[in-house]
């Protein structure tokens, strides 16, 4: 399927079934802003929980924080964002449309053929004001990348825990960028969510940890995607001055996460700008960063899962990510004893596992509707007293399962 076509289909499915909505749609929308709907928020939460547990439970020496969106304005001077968080743009002298200079091949406007200006730099940090009295307001920034709060809390984490280098701090949180060309659905937004690990190490072990996290992160993404051949590394050739190497993990050739060699740059700069000592046992720790996009991963997972078959559309999502794990149906609608039994089974299951009830239309339509949102198992309650049928989303095969075994049946499948 052609990529643009697929993206359109996914955006349409997301809206129709309540995964993602354009923000402020009743006012005509706001470019680069999206809301997650009832199914989207479930899937996104599942994704974030998997990420969080994987770092904090399956690895040693990693703790989390949850920092603010607005930090001291000096943070963004120290980080270099005030001076250089820029996108070069060219403007058409005739229609005044602006284009990212990287995207422009000729010196003429792609929209009207007019002449373009030389590229000028535009800062993409989003600013706001603190305070209420005119003339006394302070300019502040909505964080352009979430990781800065980790550097700000580095000393507090070391002092308040017994953690020793090498160790990591993780965070999932919002970031804001005045992207010049937001688009491709939720691929490039102005408000989005990032998940970061900052791994602090002695300089002598930097190479080892960089390679370790590069491999670990790829393995993690591979565990969630069906078609692992669509996940690749991209090695950057143009590097910032403090980086020895940099890689992106890409899906279909597009960046999902960056693995960055940050060395002592961040803590060094914050130490310099704040005047505070940020050393650990006499040296400034070096940092390996893994910084990914939650929304991009969400989108790529949908692209990977989206499958058109002869007579159905199915989202082959990893069951751990699916908004609902199980749908419960009564075989027929007008038999009270079946409905009653199905309702009671549904209410029991619901406290153990994410579950949805459906008694509309016929069974075929219900299957179709659940396949489209990626529900891995559909349970049909029929005339059998002690058992039900469980239908598998991917194989469409049904099997009989004892009601008393149902809970452990699903728990085993989800392991
Ligand atoms: P790009 O080159 O696509 O602009 P970047 O290299 O600037 O991305 P980073 O600053 O390394 O991105 O941010 C880490 C991750 O945050 C990216 O890998 C991406 O998944 C996500 N991300 C960055 N910008 C956006 C955005 N505007 N919308 C959604 N996700 C984003």
């Amino acid at each position: 399927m052609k990529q643009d076509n697929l993206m359109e289909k996914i955006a349409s499915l997301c809206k129709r079934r309540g995964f993602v909505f354009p923000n402020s749609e009743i006012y005509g929308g706001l470019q680069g802003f999206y809301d997650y709907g009832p199914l989207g928020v479930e899937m996104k939460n599942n994704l974030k929980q998997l990420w969080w547990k994987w770092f904090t439970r399956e690895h040693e020496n990693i703790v989390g924080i949850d920092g603010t969106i607005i930090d001291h304005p000096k943070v963004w001077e120290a980080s270099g964002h005030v001076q250089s968080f820029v996108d070069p743009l060219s403007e058409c002298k005739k229609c005044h449309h602006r284009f990212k200079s990287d995207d422009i091949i000729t010196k003429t406007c792609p929209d009207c053929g007019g002449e373009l200006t030389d590229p000028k730099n535009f800062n993409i940090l989003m600013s706001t004001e603190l305070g209420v009295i005119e003339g006394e307001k302070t300019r502040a920034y909505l964080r352009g990348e979430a990781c800065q709060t980790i550097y700000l809390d580095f000393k507090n984490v070391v002092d308040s825990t017994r953690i020793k280098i090498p160790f990591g701090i993780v965070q999932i949180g919002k970031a804001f960028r005045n992207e010049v060309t937001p688009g491709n659905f939720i691929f490039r937004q102005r408000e989005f969510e990032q998940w970061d690990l900052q791994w602090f190490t002695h300089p002598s072990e930097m190479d080892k940890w960089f390679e370790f996290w590069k491999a670990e992160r790829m393995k993690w993404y591979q565990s969630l995607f069906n078609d692992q051949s669509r996940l690749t590394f991209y090695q950057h050739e143009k590097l910032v001055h403090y980086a020895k190497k940099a890689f992106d993990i890409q899906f279909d050739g597009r960046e999902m996460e960056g693995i960055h060699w940050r060395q002592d740059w961040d803590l060094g700069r914050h130490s310099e700008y704040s005047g505070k000592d940020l050393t650990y046992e006499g040296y400034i720790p070096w940092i390996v960063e893994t910084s990914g996009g939650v929304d991009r991963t969400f989108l790529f997972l949908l692209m990977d899962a989206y499958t058109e078959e002869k007579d159905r559309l199915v989202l082959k999502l990893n069951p751990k990510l699916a908004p609902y794990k199980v749908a419960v149906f009564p075989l027929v609608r007008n038999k009270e004893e079946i409905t009653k039994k199905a309702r009671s089974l549904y209410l029991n299951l619901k406290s153990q596992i994410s579950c949805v009830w459906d008694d509309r239309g016929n069974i075929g339509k219900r299957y179709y509707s659940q396949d489209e949102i990626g529900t891995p198992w559909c349970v049909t309650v029929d005339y059998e007293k002690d058992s039900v049928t469980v239908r598998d989303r991917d194989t469409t095969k049904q099997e009989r399962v004892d009601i008393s075994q149902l809970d452990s049946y699903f728990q085993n499948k989800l392991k």
Side-chain angles (χ1 to χ4, degrees):
M1 201 179 309
K2 276 190 43 210
Q3 287 296 312
D4 291 353
N5 201 352
L6 176 61
M7 193 78 92
E8 264 170 42
K9 286 181 172 179
I10 284 174
S12 143
L13 174 71
C14 279
K15 180 159 180 236
R16 186 159 48 80
R17 298 305 306 268
F19 282 87
V20 179
F21 305 129
N23 171 269
S24 307
E25 202 183 12
I26 58 169
Y27 290 98
L30 189 60
Q31 217 195 351
F33 293 88
Y34 287 87
D35 295 337
Y36 285 77
L39 295 190
V41 71
E42 293 292 337
M43 176 172 155
K44 198 183 188 200
N45 283 342
N46 292 340
L47 185 57
K48 290 196 283 187
Q49 269 167 23
L50 281 181
W51 186 94
W52 192 267
K53 280 191 190 157
W54 183 80
F55 270 116
T56 60
R57 300 209 189 145
E58 290 180 39
H59 294 88
E60 252 188 290
N61 259 9
I62 294 185
V63 293
I65 63 155
D66 183 15
T68 58
I69 280 165
I70 297 174
D71 308 306
H72 194 291
K74 268 194 134 178
V75 170
W76 303 100
E77 287 173 31
S79 70
H81 284 76
V82 171
Q83 297 89 329
S84 61
F85 199 38
V86 290
D87 263 344
L89 296 188
S90 300
E91 187 173 319
C92 172
K93 292 181 181 167
K94 210 161 130 201
C95 72
H96 300 289
H97 288 172
R98 287 175 177 168
F99 305 92
K100 247 183 160 168
S101 306
D102 294 351
D103 301 338
I104 296 294
I105 305 159
T106 63
K107 284 218 84 173
T108 54
C109 171
D111 286 353
C112 76
E115 193 193 340
L116 295 175
T117 61
D118 287 336
K120 265 192 243 152
N121 283 338
F122 287 81
N123 196 299
I124 61 172
L125 262 186
M126 226 182 252
S127 60
T128 184
E129 289 179 322
L130 304 181
V132 288
I133 302 168
E134 277 313 323
E136 290 180 21
K137 291 183 182 174
T138 315
R139 172 188 272 219
Y141 301 98
L142 308 189
R143 60 185 182 192
E145 55 182 21
C147 60
Q148 291 296 328
T149 32
I150 297 185
Y151 312 136
L152 303 178
D153 285 337
F154 166 74
K155 198 84 186 155
N156 280 331
V157 169
V158 171
D159 292 346
S160 63
T161 63
R162 288 177 303 130
I163 208 148
K164 296 250 180 311
I165 273 181
F167 75 88
I169 304 180
V170 286
Q171 180 182 226
I172 302 179
K174 292 270 186 165
F176 298 81
R177 296 180 187 178
N178 260 324
E179 294 281 2
V180 181
T181 48
N184 269 329
F185 190 35
I186 54 174
F187 177 80
R188 189 173 299 287
Q189 300 172 82
R190 290 179 166 144
E191 172 176 343
F192 56 98
E193 217 165 0
Q194 291 184 312
W195 44 32
D196 291 333
L197 160 76
Q198 305 293 320
W199 182 257
F200 300 89
T201 169
H202 188 274
S204 64
E205 296 205 309
M206 184 68 181
D207 245 311
K208 175 182 111 184
W209 286 116
F210 186 93
E211 292 306 322
F212 175 82
W213 284 114
K214 181 181 156 226
E216 277 295 277
R217 292 303 296 144
M218 179 57 111
K219 267 194 268 167
W220 188 74
Y221 283 109
Q222 284 172 340
S223 73
L224 295 180
F225 282 78
N226 298 315
D227 185 353
Q228 299 179 358
S229 71
R230 292 165 88 174
L231 299 170
T232 47
F233 280 118
Y234 168 78
Q235 180 165 16
H236 284 267
E237 276 165 16
K238 265 203 253 163
L239 295 171
V240 282
H241 63 89
Y242 50 81
K244 191 171 130 190
K245 43 191 170 180
F247 286 85
D248 290 341
I249 294 177
Q250 299 187 326
F251 174 83
D252 280 359
R254 288 196 254 194
E255 175 177 344
M256 178 156 62
E257 172 155 318
I259 319 292
H260 300 136
W261 178 292
R262 300 196 70 126
Q263 209 159 297
D264 58 354
W265 167 255
D266 308 280
L267 291 181
R269 288 282 284 194
H270 285 304
S271 183
E272 185 189 332
Y273 275 69
S274 66
K276 296 287 180 320
D277 177 11
L278 297 180
T279 56
Y280 171 97
E281 294 181 349
Y283 65 94
I284 292 202
W286 282 24
I287 294 176
V288 181
E289 168 187 73
T290 73
S291 178
V294 182
D295 314 80
R296 276 195 197 172
T297 306
F298 181 100
L299 172 63
F300 293 151
L301 283 163
L302 291 179
M303 291 169 75
D304 170 67
Y306 188 96
T307 315
E308 284 175 356
E309 290 177 358
K310 208 167 101 246
D311 48 7
R312 64 173 189 154
L313 168 58
V314 50
L315 273 191
K316 295 193 171 171
L317 282 175
N318 183 314
K320 289 185 177 143
L321 297 172
Y324 299 123
K325 313 298 178 222
V326 180
V328 180
F329 316 147
L331 177 68
V332 286
R333 295 163 76 189
N334 47 8
K335 281 269 182 294
E336 202 192 321
E337 81 189 79
I338 288 189
T339 307
K340 225 167 127 190
K341 196 170 117 198
R343 284 294 298 171
S344 120
L345 186 140
Y346 161 68
L347 292 172
N348 264 337
L349 265 186
K350 194 174 180 307
S351 60
Q352 313 292 328
I353 198 166
S354 165
C355 214
V356 64
W357 169 260
D358 195 355
D359 62 357
R360 299 161 308 160
N362 60 38
I363 295 274
K365 279 197 184 139
R366 295 179 205 159
Y367 283 156
Y368 189 88
S369 164
Q370 295 303 325
D371 286 347
E372 231 186 29
I373 60 170
T375 309
W377 302 289
C378 292
V379 169
T380 304
V381 177
D382 55 21
Y383 296 96
E384 290 290 325
K385 190 163 155 275
D386 300 320
S387 66
V388 291
T389 63
V390 179
R391 181 256 198 187
D392 181 279
R393 176 196 68 197
D394 299 340
T395 62
T396 73
K397 295 237 162 62
Q398 296 183 33
E399 62 178 317
R400 259 204 184 270
V401 180
D402 273 3
I403 292 176
S404 62
Q405 300 299 312
L406 213 48
D407 192 24
S408 55
Y409 174 89
F410 293 129
Q411 298 306 344
N412 278 337
K413 294 250 180 201
L414 282 165
K415 263 188 198 148

